Amino acid sequence: MKLIPIFSSFLSLTAILTCTSLPRKQNPVYKGCDMNFRLIQSQSDYQTKSFLYTTDPRIKVYQSKYEDLSDVSEEWIRAKQNGKYGFINLDNELVFAYDLVFVGDYSNGYAVYRDGKSFRDPKVYLDKKAKFLGDLVFDEAYTFRNGTALVQIDEKYGIIDTKGKFVLPTQYDYLTNFYEGWAVFKREEHQGLVNTKGIEKKFVHPIYDINTFYYEGHLPFNHYKKVGLMDNNFKILIPPKYDYLGQFKEGLIRFKLNDKWGFLDETGKVIVEPKYDTVYDFSEGYATVQINDKYGKINKRGEYLIEPKLDYVGSFKNGIAIAEENKKKGFITLEAEWLVPPIFESVNEIKEGIFTYKLNELWGFVNLRGCIQK
């Protein structure tokens, strides 16, 4: 890869090194890609800038020049320039002009679009040819997932498909999108689960309340300020005695009790004692935990992979996670080593062989697809 031109009046050209609390991976390879990224620093006209560099010719590095970049979604990246949004492709070419006040990422062929500056302004769905989904206009619209999207009109919720047809009419006071064919609903005095055919499975109880989500056969419910868990037939699995319950991920569910967080199994047995200020779901065998504003990683026995000493660490995906130290971000491995040391001002996860990053208060992206081995 060739570096972008640097003005001849530069004063210095140096590789930026970092000192961190985790070791650096000796052979930093990700799915066949050489992840030996470096920052080259140039100083010119009393201004210092950093440029991302790699010696692997299969990797395409696009230097930071955008006000904002999203993750890749359906082969496009949402970009922001001069306060307006548009889209670029993976060759860094503009494919949708910067004339959108607000737009979401594309999913199932559509992005949520809003012409007004206020988040309360009407929303529509926009395809890649700049055409709207029918003549449908909503007070609120959410991203399509698996062919359906949650929408709101006059404080009532419904669900539409990618053809603009209503799968569920806007008649619900509360509604989630479908998961495994079921959505949580509240309608007048009724609550429970509703399927894609509109058939409702009502939950009748004088004091228990459902206003959350359905996930993998489990449904949290509320009793005053406490939370419990039911199955999809409304059988109580965990009594309502917790301040918060999450979703089962890899066999464990995070819970909050007396301002501390831990993990339960499906029987309600405490597996990891509630001693953390914050915890996140398990992913690839590990969960992020926080103590005193520092983050670490534990396994399902509560043993540390990384003690809480980082400024931030995300979830593992394909064996790597975003981590932050000394106000810079990079990628770590399941071996608690830096795959890419913390050299970025900000960075997003590697998704579909692409990651976006921030340097010099602007955003660029890296395309790893030329070297990723499947």
Side-chain angles (χ1 to χ4, degrees):
M1 192 213 79
K2 295 183 179 180
L3 283 175
I4 66 173
I6 298 176
F7 299 108
S8 59
S9 58
F10 73 87
L11 298 180
S12 65
L13 187 62
T14 57
I16 298 176
L17 303 178
T18 58
C19 181
T20 64
S21 60
L22 295 180
R24 184 170 181 177
K25 190 174 179 64
Q26 292 297 313
N27 183 29
V29 174
Y30 172 75
K31 294 188 174 182
C33 298
D34 183 352
M35 302 295 279
N36 266 304
F37 289 100
R38 295 288 188 273
L39 290 188
I40 302 301
Q41 189 178 80
S42 72
Q43 188 173 358
S44 176
D45 298 329
Y46 305 103
Q47 188 177 33
T48 301
K49 289 187 177 181
S50 298
F51 301 92
L52 190 63
Y53 173 74
T54 177
T55 57
D56 191 331
R58 302 168 299 172
I59 298 175
K60 295 180 180 179
V61 175
Y62 297 99
Q63 301 297 334
S64 55
K65 68 175 186 177
Y66 299 97
E67 294 172 14
D68 191 24
L69 286 180
S70 69
D71 290 334
V72 62
S73 179
E74 299 187 351
E75 300 300 289
W76 283 11
I77 300 175
R78 177 165 47 96
K80 186 178 183 181
Q81 291 283 53
N82 300 318
K84 292 290 186 73
Y85 290 95
F87 288 88
I88 58 174
N89 64 19
L90 302 187
D91 291 320
N92 204 27
E93 299 168 335
L94 185 66
V95 291
F96 203 122
Y98 299 110
D99 57 7
L100 304 175
V101 174
F102 173 81
V103 66
D105 292 332
Y106 277 95
S107 178
N108 295 168
Y110 288 95
V112 177
Y113 167 65
R114 184 187 75 219
D115 188 43
K117 293 183 178 180
S118 172
F119 71 93
R120 297 182 183 275
D121 287 328
K123 289 91 176 170
V124 298
Y125 288 97
L126 187 71
D127 70 13
K128 287 190 171 183
K129 296 181 179 180
K131 294 182 179 179
F132 297 148
L133 180 57
D135 57 357
L136 300 172
V137 180
F138 305 101
D139 297 329
E140 194 57 74
Y142 298 86
T143 303
F144 273 99
R145 293 287 184 267
N146 299 317
T148 61
L150 184 68
V151 295
Q152 182 188 22
I153 300 175
D154 295 331
E155 299 184 355
K156 296 291 185 179
Y157 293 90
I159 293 176
I160 63 170
D161 63 20
T162 53
K163 295 181 180 180
K165 295 182 179 180
F166 279 91
V167 181
L168 297 178
T170 50
Q171 65 178 10
Y172 297 93
D173 301 313
Y174 176 85
L175 189 65
T176 67
N177 207 339
F178 293 112
Y179 184 84
E180 295 179 340
W182 292 99
V184 178
F185 81 90
K186 295 184 76 172
R187 179 174 54 82
E188 298 171 345
E189 74 278 10
H190 302 297
Q191 61 179 339
L193 296 170
V194 55
N195 66 18
T196 55
K197 296 181 179 180
I199 299 174
E200 296 177 352
K201 185 191 296 187
K202 295 182 176 67
F203 172 65
V204 180
H205 198 283
I207 55 176
Y208 290 166
D209 184 46
I210 302 174
N211 61 354
T212 178
F213 44 81
Y214 171 77
Y215 184 77
E216 292 189 353
H218 299 100
L219 183 63
F221 67 96
N222 295 325
H223 176 49
Y224 298 109
K225 294 184 178 181
K226 296 297 182 179
V227 185
L229 195 72
M230 300 182 290
D231 65 15
N232 56 4
N233 291 315
F234 310 127
K235 177 183 177 182
I236 295 176
L237 304 174
I238 299 175
K241 61 180 182 180
Y242 297 101
D243 300 323
Y244 179 87
L245 285 175
Q247 302 172 343
F248 274 106
K249 295 293 181 69
E250 300 187 358
L252 296 180
I253 185 171
R254 58 195 178 101
F255 73 92
K256 182 181 181 182
L257 185 63
N258 300 325
D259 289 328
K260 294 295 181 182
W261 293 78
F263 289 92
L264 307 169
D265 67 11
E266 294 186 352
T267 68
K269 179 182 177 182
V270 175
I271 301 300
V272 178
E273 293 292 333
K275 60 180 181 180
Y276 303 101
D277 296 332
T278 304
V279 300
Y280 296 85
D281 292 324
F282 274 91
S283 177
E284 300 185 7
Y286 295 96
T288 297
V289 298
Q290 179 190 2
I291 296 178
N292 296 328
D293 296 326
K294 292 295 183 180
Y295 292 79
K297 283 284 188 182
I298 61 170
N299 63 20
K300 293 180 181 180
R301 296 184 297 276
E303 301 166 338
Y304 282 119
L305 172 69
I306 302 171
E307 294 185 1
K309 58 185 177 181
L310 298 172
D311 298 327
Y312 170 80
V313 60
S315 297
F316 281 116
K317 295 183 179 179
N318 296 314
I320 65 173
I322 297 170
E324 179 179 347
E325 191 168 21
N326 301 322
K327 297 183 179 180
K328 298 291 185 179
K329 291 184 177 180
F331 296 107
I332 63 170
T333 69
L334 289 165
E335 292 76 33
E337 298 174 323
W338 288 105
L339 179 68
V340 179
I343 58 176
F344 302 106
E345 294 163 19
S346 189
V347 68
N348 291 321
E349 67 181 67
I350 300 175
K351 182 180 178 183
E352 299 173 21
I354 310 293
F355 72 87
T356 57
Y357 68 91
K358 187 177 183 181
L359 285 176
N360 310 309
E361 299 185 351
L362 295 172
W363 287 83
F365 72 98
V366 174
N367 187 336
L368 301 170
R369 291 187 179 182
C371 53
I372 286 181
Q373 299 172 358
K374 297 182 179 180

